[in-house]
Amino acid sequence: MSTEPRRTGFWRDLLGQLRGWRTVDIVVAAVIGVAVGVVFWLWNIVWSVTTPLFVGFPPAQAVVYGMWLLSGVLGGLIIRKPGAALLTSVAASSVSAVLGTQWGVTVILDGTLQGILPELVFLAFGYRRWGMGVAVLAAAVAGLSPAIRDNIAYNVAWPLHLQVVYGVIVVISAAVIAGVGARLLTTALARSGALAPFPSAKG
């Protein structure tokens, strides 16, 4: 049996979902981006304040990194449309940049990369599966971006084994904080009735 009809149907459905963006979807994506962007800005301070605690083993600080990967996964889980993860992640990183960050406007690039990667995971599941497993996978894949980029941009002087440890911890932190956290937050918001206009209202 040919798979061509299935492929055609998949892309037709995807195009339909892209065309199905509503005003409420855009507004909520922006609201999520702004809210999480403020959290990002506060987390920048947390990162700076806690840096001395990890002077003996710097890669261990990556345990708190996952918070910076929350927006894309959360936006995708709530809005459940193609582009939602990317839009919320870019919005959040832009807000963080405007509020001021030690990394400057490069955080917008990071936000873009960290939005594209979970988007690809949601795409792989046809924007139809939103359970804990998919959320954790999307967050872990998003974590690959800082796991690689940070080592190239900031940790280049570290020995290779420390860079590898840092990358692994970033991915694990992303899976736990951004993956599990976003899934639980989506469930809590659904139970509160705040997600009534979305399919995610079912949890």
Side-chain angles (χ1 to χ4, degrees):
M1 180 176 174
S2 174
T3 61
E4 190 60 33
R6 292 182 182 178
R7 292 175 183 168
T8 302
F10 173 83
W11 292 112
R12 186 184 298 116
D13 289 346
L14 182 63
L15 183 59
Q17 292 181 67
L18 279 169
R19 290 174 175 170
W21 271 82
R22 305 164 298 170
T23 301
V24 67
D25 299 325
I26 298 171
V27 170
V28 170
V31 169
I32 294 172
V34 170
V36 179
V38 173
V39 174
F40 284 179
W41 177 74
L42 293 171
W43 212 246
N44 296 339
I45 298 173
V46 171
W47 182 271
S48 297
V49 170
T50 58
T51 297
L53 301 177
F54 299 95
V55 66
F57 190 65
Q61 191 175 11
V63 296
V64 302
Y65 205 108
M67 183 63 72
W68 281 316
L69 299 162
L70 177 68
S71 57
V73 181
L74 183 62
L77 291 178
I78 289 177
I79 300 171
R80 301 189 177 183
K81 281 186 169 63
L86 176 59
L87 178 57
T88 53
S89 186
V90 171
S93 60
S94 298
V95 169
S96 178
V98 169
L99 291 175
T101 167
Q102 57 267 50
W103 298 286
V105 294
T106 61
V107 296
I108 299 177
L109 170 62
D110 292 330
T112 301
L113 294 172
Q114 293 161 18
I116 290 173
L117 292 176
E119 198 75 61
L120 293 175
V121 173
F122 296 138
L123 172 62
F125 288 96
Y127 293 97
R128 296 185 182 280
R129 294 181 60 184
W130 307 99
M132 181 66 78
V134 173
V136 169
L137 178 61
V141 170
L144 293 175
S145 173
I148 296 171
R149 201 179 103 73
D150 284 7
N151 280 325
I152 295 173
Y154 308 114
N155 307 333
V156 66
W158 289 3
L160 179 60
H161 71 280
L162 292 185
Q163 294 184 17
V164 171
V165 170
Y166 177 86
V168 169
I169 296 175
V170 166
V171 171
I172 294 173
S173 177
V176 174
I177 298 177
V180 175
R183 181 60 257 184
L184 294 178
L185 184 55
T186 300
T187 300
L189 290 170
R191 288 175 178 171
S192 74
L195 304 182
F198 302 98
S200 52
K202 297 178 181 179

